[in-house]
Amino acid sequence: MAFDQGCAEDDSLHEECGVFGIWNVPDAAAVTALGLHALQHRGQEATGIVSFDGARFHSHRGMGLVGDNFGDRRVIDKLPGRIAVGHNRYATTGDTILRNVQPLYADFEFGGFAVAHNGNLTNAHLLHRALVRRGCLFQSTTDSEVFIHLIAISLYSTVVDRLIDALKQVVGAYSLVALSNEALMGVRDPLGVRPLILGRIGSEGTGGWVLASESCALDIVGANFVRDVEPGEIVVINDQGVHSVKPFGRSRERFCVFEYIYFSRPDSVVESMPVYDARKRIGAELAREAGVPADVIVPVPDSGVPAAMGYSTQSGIPFELGIIRNHYVGRTFIEPTDHIRNLGVKLKHSANRPVLEDRRVVLVDDSIVRGTTSKKIVEMVRQAGAREVHMRISSPPTTHSCFYGIDTPERGKLLAARHSVDEMADLIGADSLAFISIDGLYRALGKPGRDPDKPHYCDACFTGDYPIPLPDQQDNAEKQLSLLTMND
Ligand code: AMP
């Protein structure tokens, strides 16, 4: 989230990100670049690596993809050392400037410190205001910089104690990978909204450690999964091994359910559950809940594929690739204007006519956000000769914005926030439209249903039940209210 442009009023400035850290491997920056490459789906806007050679820190940050920045051996050679942290950034708006690119780095009296953050702080504006009042000079416009200042002004002496001191003042969702002269640290917020895992690389005793947003980043570097970092846990990795610190009292975890639906890569195992299996089970549950007579099940690639497979198996209706994706264009979701976004959908998908012609088609996608994608795809499938087009969505209607690190537009732009399911079916031009129910989603993930008193996941985008307070939003609402009262 950016601080400028009065963004407390703009809830669309949300970042999704991927983080990676490695301790004690040769050529740590090159390994980190590989890990970031596997996490590219979590952020394509910018990327960075900070390495430590035992005496000095080195960094390279750049706009664009990991391959564009770290594909050149000469760049990697300027990042020596056996220790490194890296970050992929994904922000829809806000400043696309180099000083916002992570990992952020600062020189403190205790030495260097680098931090990479996935998530969103929900009191960043309030903290920013208070820190500026105390004389802190912000270098970037990202919320993650508050960590740097809170650590700088902390009265504790060790890095870990200063980090804990900072963490106790922030509110929000965060998975952090941080690096000091003495240790690599991984942190998850007390509810564990965003993922972070610990892996082992090399041989027992001599090898190193890896921290990553998802397990797909372990596979690419040849590391083995050890465990998820626990909600509210700080893992401190140094030459003595891995130590765990749990500075927060126990709270009930609320992992982000959207990681299963869309965000994580299907070959990742998230919170002990393979994402691919989860998506197939969600698709099967969707078929049980909202089956419709049809000739063919067609996924909206790529994110709709596993759910469509599950739907097909459950319904007994054949699965076919009726829409082909062009992989050489970015995600349409991040295009800045509706006009470009509309074009983007056409650039990205094309109809496979022989599969669709004269058929009753069930299209399966993971979500409807603004509705742009669905509308274009339905139109495309009809133009290819489909007799009926039924849309099935493997998430409940997205009715609320995310403030915890998934990119969603402000509420007014969410189709489901303004329209009933029938109205949405009309708007996207489908013969029928159905979403999986929230209980169906929980069942597919192995839970008995959603217990409203203690839901297992953060599902705020579907329910409006925000498990972490939103102080910046509240502060903003109060400001708006006082402006209205002043104008009365
Ligand atoms: P929309 O066209 O706005 O309705 O967007 C829906 C499409 O965007 C779906 O096909 C999803 O796969 C994809 N999508 C959903 N959430 C996100 C997200 N947070 N970032 C990027 N793409 C998304």
Side-chain angles (χ1 to χ4, degrees), residues 40-356:
Q40 189 75 83
H41 59 289
R42 299 186 73 85
Q44 296 112 50
E45 190 191 55
T47 184
I49 295 177
V50 173
S51 74
F52 181 55
D53 64 10
R56 296 185 55 201
F57 289 84
H58 310 268
S59 76
H60 180 86
R61 284 175 276 260
M63 309 308 295
L65 303 178
V66 177
D68 298 337
N69 284 283
F70 297 109
D72 185 342
R73 182 71 229 182
R74 285 168 301 184
V75 175
I76 296 288
D77 285 343
K78 288 187 183 142
L79 302 169
R82 299 174 67 87
I83 302 163
V85 289
H87 187 262
N88 284 337
R89 179 170 196 255
Y90 182 162
T92 44
T93 52
D95 287 344
T96 45
I97 48 173
L98 207 50
R99 63 197 162 96
N100 277 350
V101 180
Q102 299 192 29
L104 299 176
Y105 175 81
D107 278 309
F108 294 127
E109 54 175 318
F110 58 78
F113 184 82
V115 64
H117 169 207
N118 171 211
N120 258 329
L121 304 183
T122 54
N123 67 340
H125 289 92
L126 290 170
L127 282 176
H128 178 258
R129 214 183 296 154
L131 286 164
V132 168
R133 247 183 248 133
R134 290 185 63 171
C136 295
L137 301 173
F138 277 73
Q139 302 289 310
S140 76
T141 57
T142 85
D143 64 344
S144 315
E145 197 183 337
V146 298
F147 287 115
I148 297 280
H149 293 285
L150 290 171
I151 290 168
I153 62 174
S154 172
L155 298 175
Y156 287 89
S157 53
T158 70
V159 184
V160 174
D161 284 342
R162 282 171 181 247
L163 178 62
I164 295 171
D165 191 21
L167 294 174
K168 289 200 166 162
Q169 297 170 70
V170 302
V171 182
Y174 50 84
S175 278
L176 303 180
V177 171
L179 179 61
S180 75
N181 301 43
E182 283 155 23
L184 173 69
M185 289 151 275
V187 192
R188 276 179 88 191
D189 68 70
L191 301 192
V193 173
R194 304 258 73 88
L196 190 66
I197 54 157
L198 175 69
R200 194 88 169 92
I201 186 164
S203 54
E204 200 65 40
T206 58
W209 298 93
V210 183
L211 290 165
S213 294
E214 289 179 41
S215 60
C216 63
L218 297 182
D219 303 335
I220 194 171
V221 303
N224 294 317
F225 177 81
V226 175
R227 65 177 177 86
D228 290 289
V229 175
E230 287 175 30
E233 181 184 12
I234 304 177
V235 291
V236 182
I237 300 168
N238 55 24
D239 287 337
Q240 278 70 57
V242 178
H243 315 273
S244 168
V245 187
K246 293 182 181 161
F248 308 103
R250 273 197 75 84
S251 43
R252 204 182 293 279
E253 72 181 270
R254 296 289 291 273
F255 182 67
C256 167
V257 77
F258 206 69
E259 291 275 353
Y260 285 115
I261 291 165
Y262 171 80
F263 205 47
S264 291
R265 226 170 75 163
D267 56 333
S268 284
V269 178
V270 170
E271 297 280 297
S272 311
M273 198 187 296
V275 173
Y276 181 69
D277 285 357
R279 287 186 189 162
K280 283 207 295 191
R281 286 205 304 268
I282 296 170
E285 184 67 32
L286 182 59
R288 277 191 285 272
E289 283 190 348
V292 57
D295 303 308
V296 66
I297 309 299
V298 170
V300 179
D302 290 330
S303 44
V305 173
M309 289 168 71
Y311 192 109
S312 164
T313 309
Q314 176 64 34
S315 62
I317 304 170
F319 169 97
E320 296 287 358
L321 296 178
I323 298 168
I324 305 301
R325 162 133 184 234
N326 181 332
H327 285 268
Y328 302 96
V329 286
R331 289 180 172 188
T332 54
F333 195 87
I334 59 173
E335 300 297 350
T337 66
D338 281 346
H339 173 64
I340 303 286
R341 198 175 297 115
N342 284 350
L343 284 178
V345 173
K346 281 193 182 151
L347 290 176
K348 196 166 142 184
H349 296 114
S350 47
N352 187 5
R353 186 175 273 272
V355 167
L356 304 167

Side-chain angles (χ1 to χ4, degrees), residues 16 90 258 262 303 333 365-367 369-373 407:
E16 306 165 322
Y90 182 162
F258 206 69
Y262 171 80
S303 44
F333 195 87
D365 201 358
D366 62 90
S367 56
V369 182
R370 296 175 178 86
T372 325
T373 310
D407 158 41

